Amino acid sequence: MKSYRKELTFRTSTRRAFMNITPQIEDALSESGVREGLCLVNAMNITASVFINDHESGLHRDFERWLEKLAPEKPHSQYDHNGYEDNADAHLKRTIMGREVVVAISGGKLDFGTWEQIFYGEFDGKRDKRVLVKIIGE
Ligand code: ZN
């Protein structure tokens, strides 16, 4: 069995952003040489997410509005976590949007359902954040 590990680093210019990272995961899969197996992709930071959904900008604006209703960034004083930090909303948004995804690898390709793409969700950006890619198989 082959095992492959790679860390990707992302730094967004805004506090919140969604990025389609499918091309970077496909590059990692190609580097791994794995044809049949599993690919795990997880955020290595507790204020960022990795999730699968549609690459459609209207949907991404809907996510942003929905998350702001559930866990509005401001006022910062509404959260117990916000003493030393001001990112309680980002922890909550990350929990809703998820930490990781696992995608089957079949015939050397990510075995997606219709319209599925892998996204990085940033909720407390403007600094380097890491994403782990772990691929196992043969
Ligand atoms: Zn925090």
Side-chain angles (χ1 to χ4, degrees):
M1 188 193 77
K2 287 180 191 160
S3 175
Y4 171 95
R5 181 186 192 279
K6 184 179 196 178
E7 287 183 15
L8 306 173
T9 301
F10 299 103
R11 186 190 192 100
T12 60
S13 59
T14 52
R15 178 175 170 108
R16 287 191 291 279
F18 296 124
M19 297 170 53
N20 187 339
I21 61 169
T22 310
Q24 290 95 318
I25 308 307
E26 287 171 340
D27 288 348
L29 176 55
S30 167
E31 288 162 21
S32 77
V34 170
R35 306 274 309 160
E36 296 293 324
L38 292 172
C39 175
L40 165 77
V41 186
N42 70 266
M44 298 181 82
N45 190 284
I46 52 178
T47 55
S49 288
V50 172
F51 63 97
I52 290 180
N53 219 300
D54 193 359
H55 186 68
E56 198 279 303
S57 58
L59 179 65
H60 297 179
R61 290 191 297 276
D62 292 336
F63 277 137
E64 163 66 18
R65 277 198 297 271
W66 177 64
L67 291 167
E68 269 298 285
K69 276 185 210 159
L70 288 173
E73 179 191 341
K74 292 172 181 167
H76 292 142
S77 62
Q78 73 189 300
Y79 298 107
D80 287 348
H81 178 67
N82 286 345
Y84 172 71
E85 291 189 295
D86 67 357
N87 65 0
D89 70 300
H91 289 279
L92 299 174
K93 287 164 177 149
R94 185 275 173 120
T95 303
I96 291 287
M97 296 303 286
R99 170 184 182 263
E100 79 277 304
V101 300
V102 178
V103 181
I105 300 161
S106 303
K109 303 237 181 267
L110 297 170
D111 202 341
F112 284 131
T114 307
W115 303 115
E116 284 189 333
Q117 295 280 284
I118 303 172
F119 292 89
Y120 174 74
E122 178 60 80
F123 307 114
D124 185 21
K126 304 183 189 176
R127 56 196 169 104
D128 286 353
K129 300 275 196 76
R130 289 177 299 151
V131 167
L132 176 66
V133 184
K134 183 83 180 190
I135 297 170
I136 56 171
E138 52 191 21

